[in-house]
Amino acid sequence: MDELGFNKIAGAVLATALGVMMIREVPHLLMHSSAPETPVYQVGPIVQEGGEADAVEAPFPSPEFIASMDATRGAKVFKKCTSCHNADNGGANGTGPNLWNVVGNKTAAKAGFKYSSAMTNTGFAWDYENLNGYLEKPTKYVSGTNMNFIGLKKEKDRAAVIEYLRIASDAPIARPVAAQAPLTDIVQEDVAPQEDSPEKEDSGN
Ligand code: HEC
């Protein structure tokens, strides 16, 4: 083959590879550039496909979590936050932003507060699950956050302070309902047994 012919083929191969790369990447680029109104992805534990252990993790929120949503207790827990926050209507920002109207709102929404870019770019809203995750371990849930707080270890404390914040609002969103347990047993029964599994062959001989 002459050199020109080879160059043409090499060029065609390169162009194809480039095309494939574009087709694979362009949808991702589109997805990330359009700021989503509703979250497209969430920051949090990544559930691996086929990971049996992750699939049976208790769904959020548990009935215990909901039962612990107690604003009186939450006011006491909130004392851990008051060095940086208040949750007063029209309250000033401090080291942390004022937390009036935070539950159900998108992240980094308080005017006049300088958030970290990590907080500005979460792409999610403060629903119950995200608040629970963030308050458990702020720096892990929103990596790069400026909230220099160790977190609330006890679920009971998180549920209580979240209820306290829920009602610190012009229009409190509804309390959450308990999540259903996953129907893993039923799903497993639906899988038809394999006709000729190696075990069967072995036992027959
Ligand atoms: C040492 C100071 C400090 C303490 C203590 C603290 N926070 Fe924060 N908090 C911050 C800062 C700073 C931010 C902004 C984080 C960013 O921009 O990354 C923040 C952000 C938040 C946000 C997100 C606000 C928004 O507008 O998106 C919530 C919710 C929150 N804190 C709740 C709490 C609660 C509840 C407690 C107590 C259990 C607490 N914080 C304790 C400093 C603190």
Side-chain angles (χ1 to χ4, degrees), residues 103-175:
V103 180
N105 209 337
K106 51 187 189 201
T107 62
K110 197 58 69 171
F113 186 80
K114 200 169 176 341
Y115 291 95
S116 65
S117 54
M119 187 56 75
T120 312
N121 295 329
T122 58
F124 64 64
W126 287 126
D127 61 17
Y128 294 114
E129 192 159 8
N130 286 329
L131 270 173
N132 181 53
Y134 184 59
L135 294 179
E136 183 175 9
K137 234 175 183 303
T139 50
K140 192 175 168 210
Y141 202 74
V142 177
S143 159
T145 182
N146 285 344
M147 174 151 133
N148 192 8
F149 177 68
I150 184 95
L152 297 170
K153 232 177 174 177
K154 291 187 204 154
E155 183 184 73
K156 212 176 162 187
D157 287 348
R158 297 194 300 273
V161 85
I162 287 169
E163 173 65 3
Y164 176 79
L165 290 176
R166 182 185 76 86
I167 58 174
S169 166
D170 294 320
I173 65 168
R175 285 168 62 100

Side-chain angles (χ1 to χ4, degrees), residues 1-202:
M1 190 190 302
D2 63 8
E3 208 182 321
L4 192 65
F6 176 79
N7 279 348
K8 274 185 186 166
I9 292 169
V13 169
L14 262 174
T16 309
L18 205 69
V20 169
M21 277 167 67
M22 300 255 297
I23 288 164
R24 289 178 56 167
E25 292 306 321
V26 161
H28 296 282
L29 293 174
L30 288 178
M31 220 176 80
H32 288 292
S33 61
S34 57
E37 202 61 53
T38 49
V40 177
Y41 56 87
Q42 296 190 331
V43 180
I46 293 163
V47 179
Q48 298 278 344
E49 268 182 24
E52 301 274 316
D54 287 335
V56 293
E57 197 177 291
F60 179 89
S62 65
E64 293 77 23
F65 182 93
I66 291 168
S68 303
M69 290 183 68
D70 168 4
T72 310
R73 190 186 149 89
K76 288 187 195 135
V77 177
F78 194 69
K79 294 206 168 91
K80 296 189 176 179
C81 324
T82 50
S83 57
C84 301
H85 294 285
N86 68 72
D88 305 334
N89 188 357
N93 296 323
T95 305
N98 165 259
L99 294 176
W100 181 262
N101 276 347
V102 79
V103 180
N105 209 337
K106 51 187 189 201
T107 62
K110 197 58 69 171
F113 186 80
K114 200 169 176 341
Y115 291 95
S116 65
S117 54
M119 187 56 75
T120 312
N121 295 329
T122 58
F124 64 64
W126 287 126
D127 61 17
Y128 294 114
E129 192 159 8
N130 286 329
L131 270 173
N132 181 53
Y134 184 59
L135 294 179
E136 183 175 9
K137 234 175 183 303
T139 50
K140 192 175 168 210
Y141 202 74
V142 177
S143 159
T145 182
N146 285 344
M147 174 151 133
N148 192 8
F149 177 68
I150 184 95
L152 297 170
K153 232 177 174 177
K154 291 187 204 154
E155 183 184 73
K156 212 176 162 187
D157 287 348
R158 297 194 300 273
V161 85
I162 287 169
E163 173 65 3
Y164 176 79
L165 290 176
R166 182 185 76 86
I167 58 174
S169 166
D170 294 320
I173 65 168
R175 285 168 62 100
V177 285
Q180 294 280 325
L183 303 172
T184 42
D185 294 347
I186 292 171
V187 170
Q188 271 162 17
E189 275 166 24
D190 278 350
V191 176
Q194 294 238 316
E195 280 293 274
D196 40 23
S197 63
E199 278 110 88
K200 253 188 180 172
E201 273 171 23
D202 285 346

